[in-house]
């Protein structure tokens, strides 16, 4: 595999490469902040009775707050997905495609005591990024479906209230957790979709929590034992590497 290198300079045998562009770094840290906040609010929603939060108004408020933060998360994620086609070579999905063959060569080299260096993600990192990205998309879609079917928030809320409003009732008057003006049979029809979206959302979030933990342990171990500087590179965008990189020609 080959990459265009946007910049490089030599210093004491180390070559400095500009790897992660601003788009990637902003996405990464905004995503960390928003996912952490969403988990925090989500956990409060899950354990509200244990936390002494009661009443329908508080329950709806928490869901609204979580959804508004969820929109920011969704916008950031959608921008990243577009960046995957328009960003620098390391931001592009074409350079992040995981390959079993690369993974086995990487593992073999590590077993032989070598420290293969990569400008982009190493072969294990590529699998991790693909899994995390897929999970983020699943969480975004299931969250938006849940927001539409549960508290009638956009983008689906309008269609849902139009569907469940009883004849002659203005859909705009339908309120979350209030059956006034609602055709109960139609509301029951959407319940399975609402429940499915809720289950997918919650179990994907549990899986994401596990992956985030593995991601943090993974980068710390790689930083300490194999590729020093991978963590600071997500702040500065630059990697300093001695010798040949596996994913660059020359
Ligand atoms: C990584 C990002 C996210 C995390 C970590 C997260 C986490 C959670 C958690 C822990 C819950 C509680 C589950 C429950 O009460 O059943 C929840 C519920 C919910 N989430 Fe998310 N969420 C995320 C993204 C989103 C997005 C993007 C949206 C939509 C814009 C969204 C909308 C909702 C809604 C409406 C609920 C309420 C479900 C219900 O109780 O009816 N979430 N989320």
């Amino acid at each position: 595999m080959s990459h265009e290198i946007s910049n490089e300079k030599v210093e004491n045998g180390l070559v400095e490469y500009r790897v992660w562009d601003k788009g990637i770094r902003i996405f990464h840290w905004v995503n960390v902040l928003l996912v952490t906040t969403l988990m925090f609010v989500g956990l409060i929603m899950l354990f509200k009775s244990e936390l002494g939060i009661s009443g329908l108004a508080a329950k709806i408020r928490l869901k609204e707050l979580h959804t508004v933060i969820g929109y920011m998360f969704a916008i950031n994620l959608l921008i990243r997905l577009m960046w995957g086609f328009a960003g620098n070579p390391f931001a592009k999905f074409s350079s992040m495609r995981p390959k079993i063959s690369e993974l086995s060569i990487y593992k073999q080299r590590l077993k032989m005591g070598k420290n293969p260096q990569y400008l982009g993600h190493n072969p294990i990192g590529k699998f991790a990024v693909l899994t995390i990205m897929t999970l983020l998309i699943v969480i975004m879609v299931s969250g938006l479906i849940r927001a539409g079917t549960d508290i009638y928030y956009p983008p689906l809320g309008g269609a849902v209230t139009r569907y469940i409003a009883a004849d002659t009732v203005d859909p705009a008057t339908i309120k979350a957790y209030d059956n006034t003006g609602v055709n109960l049979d139609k509301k029951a029809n959407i319940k399975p979709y609402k429940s499915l979206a809720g289950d997918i959302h919650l179990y994907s979030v549990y899986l994401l929590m596990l992956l985030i933990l593995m991601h943090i342990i993974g980068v710390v171990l790689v930083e300490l034992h194999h590729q020093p500087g991978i963590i600071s590179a997500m702040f500065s965008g630059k990697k300093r590497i001695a010798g040949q990189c596996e994913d660059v020609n020359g």
Side-chain angles (χ1 to χ4, degrees):
M1 181 180 40
S2 71
H3 283 306
E4 248 172 65
I5 309 161
S6 51
N7 197 358
E8 68 180 84
K9 76 178 187 224
V10 181
E11 250 175 35
N12 308 326
L14 288 171
V15 182
E16 191 174 79
Y17 301 89
R18 264 177 213 280
V19 181
W20 307 126
D21 61 24
K22 240 189 209 151
I24 290 285
R25 286 178 279 146
I26 293 174
F27 161 76
H28 182 270
W29 294 115
V30 169
N31 191 53
V32 169
L33 181 74
L34 293 174
V35 169
T36 309
T37 316
L38 284 165
M39 275 181 186
F40 182 70
V41 180
L43 289 174
I44 295 178
M45 282 153 67
L46 268 183
F47 297 104
K48 57 185 177 311
S49 345
E50 290 81 349
L51 292 166
I53 302 171
S54 60
L56 187 61
K59 180 177 163 174
I60 297 175
R61 269 289 154 88
L62 278 172
K63 289 188 184 203
E64 287 171 343
L65 173 67
H66 182 82
T67 301
V68 171
I69 304 167
Y71 289 150
M72 296 183 226
F73 159 83
I75 291 169
N76 191 46
L77 182 58
L78 291 173
I79 294 173
R80 173 64 185 96
L81 294 179
M82 289 191 275
W83 204 238
F85 300 96
N88 90 359
F90 297 102
K92 285 199 171 136
F93 295 129
S94 53
S95 70
M96 291 164 51
R97 218 173 293 135
K99 291 195 187 101
I100 300 278
S101 54
E102 276 181 14
L103 185 66
S104 39
I105 294 172
Y106 179 59
K107 280 197 195 154
Q108 265 172 13
R109 297 221 173 135
L110 289 182
K111 264 191 200 150
M112 289 159 67
K114 291 188 178 157
N115 268 342
Q117 302 294 304
Y118 294 84
L119 287 187
H121 299 291
N122 71 36
I124 297 180
K126 285 181 182 174
F127 278 94
V129 170
L130 178 73
T131 316
I132 292 176
M133 279 283 182
T134 309
L135 213 48
L136 292 178
I137 295 170
V138 171
I139 291 171
M140 173 182 75
V141 173
S142 57
L144 289 172
I145 296 175
R146 187 77 191 188
T149 50
D150 190 53
I151 53 168
Y152 314 134
Y153 262 51
L156 289 179
V160 171
T161 50
R162 275 194 299 280
Y163 175 70
I164 62 169
D167 295 342
T168 73
V169 170
D170 177 3
T173 61
I174 305 282
K175 292 193 181 68
Y177 289 84
D178 183 346
N179 284 335
T180 314
V182 170
N183 177 326
L184 295 178
D185 289 334
K186 286 189 170 177
K187 192 173 178 181
N189 286 344
I190 62 158
K191 197 159 185 260
Y193 301 102
K194 176 180 162 177
S195 305
L196 182 66
D199 288 347
I200 293 176
H201 194 68
L202 188 58
Y203 289 109
S204 306
V205 167
Y206 288 149
L207 191 56
L208 182 71
M209 286 177 181
L210 180 71
L211 284 174
I212 290 174
L213 188 69
M214 286 166 63
H215 171 65
I216 295 171
I217 294 172
V219 292
V220 169
L221 288 178
V222 172
E223 167 87 32
L224 294 178
H225 300 296
H226 305 297
Q227 287 175 263
I230 64 161
I231 295 176
S232 63
M234 202 36 90
F235 292 97
S236 67
K238 296 170 192 160
K239 280 190 185 176
R240 287 180 168 205
I241 293 177
Q244 178 67 38
C245 308
E246 303 293 322
D247 51 352
V248 69
N249 281 341

